[in-house]
Amino acid sequence: MREVFRLVEDSVLFLCGLVAGWIAITYLPGAVLGAVAVTVVLAVGGRLLFNGTVWSSGAGLVVAGIAGAGLYVSDAISTLGG
């Protein structure tokens, strides 16, 4: 039962980190602030993940940061392509 509780807790923290990171990335206006938000989300997520305190929330932030970086890179490529 303890392992099930731990799994649920880790899943909820992962989703909280994912949502918080995605909100921080998508709701900032402008390309420069978005790039800064991606960098901050990746840095904070990496710190939480590798520090081991709240690793599941940190993993969610890292996933959101990677997805946000992909979003900005694809937007930049499509803008350059015409």
Side-chain angles (χ1 to χ4, degrees), residues 45-64:
R47 177 71 177 171
L48 290 174
L49 180 66
F50 294 114
N51 193 18
T53 53
V54 191
W55 67 270
S56 54
S57 183
L61 285 171
V62 168
V63 168

Side-chain angles (χ1 to χ4, degrees), residues 16-30:
C16 287
L18 185 65
V19 169
W22 191 250
I23 287 173
I25 291 168
T26 56
Y27 289 116
L28 284 176

